[in-house]
Amino acid sequence: MSGLPIVREDRCLEALRRHLDAADEATLHEAYEFGRTALAEGMGVLDMTLILCRAVYRLGPAAGNEERSARRIESFMLECLSPFEMAQRGIREANEGLRRLDERHEEHVRRVARELHDQAGQILAAVFLSLDGLRPHLDAGGEERLARMTDLLHQVEEEIRRLAHELRPVILDD
């Protein structure tokens, strides 16, 4: 494993030398593939930058003196680093997509909680009113049964409120 970085540095140096000589699409493609392979092997952008800097350093001072060589070195380095840039952009776009998906999910949960609370609340209010309307028509012992039914409905009401709050805790809205 310790010899691997040196092999990469040697490959990078040779590819850079070919690019300095030819500066064509083939050598730029080679630079891109070098970067793509390094990324696929798990190398980080800092590791790649270090390899590129060492390759330029090993070229010696003559390679960077003239403007043409400097532009060629720059294009080679940018091409080697472009797979890392594309991967980072892909991650950023994926994170943005996940954020939007999460926002839609949150809105859906909020809507379900609101509808659960509102619709069930309206129905329960109507049931409470109907039960209250039955009071004058109750025979002996009916008041006790009505009280039990009312208690059960209050339990249902509390359970619906709990579920609605679990779906969408008020603290998240605050």
Side-chain angles (χ1 to χ4, degrees), residues 7 12 27 30 38 51 72 85 94 125 128 135 141 172:
V7 169
C12 182
T27 58
E30 185 178 2
I51 287 175
R72 288 181 178 185
E85 173 68 14
F128 280 122
R135 270 190 214 288
L172 294 180

Side-chain angles (χ1 to χ4, degrees), residues 36-127:
R36 190 189 62 72
T37 301
L39 179 64
E41 291 173 355
M43 186 181 293
V45 70
L46 295 177
D47 297 324
M48 186 66 184
T49 303
L50 182 61
I51 287 175
L52 290 167
C53 288
R54 286 179 178 167
V56 170
Y57 178 77
R58 287 173 59 191
L59 282 174
N65 281 347
E66 59 183 87
E67 188 177 329
R68 187 185 79 171
S69 292
R71 281 195 318 269
R72 288 181 178 185
I73 290 171
E74 181 181 289
S75 66
F76 181 86
M77 292 176 92
L78 289 173
E79 212 49 47
C80 283
L81 293 171
S82 67
F84 293 87
E85 173 68 14
M86 288 188 292
Q88 195 264 340
R89 284 182 187 175
I91 291 168
R92 191 171 39 237
E93 289 171 4
N95 283 336
E96 179 61 24
L98 287 173
R99 186 190 59 74
R100 284 192 309 271
L101 183 64
D102 190 48
E103 285 173 357
R104 280 185 282 187
H105 178 259
E106 282 292 317
E107 179 54 37
H108 178 70
V109 167
R110 200 173 12 254
R111 189 173 49 254
V112 167
R114 191 171 37 250
E115 288 179 19
L116 174 65
H117 183 270
D118 294 349
Q119 296 298 323
Q122 288 176 5
I123 293 169
L124 283 171
V127 171

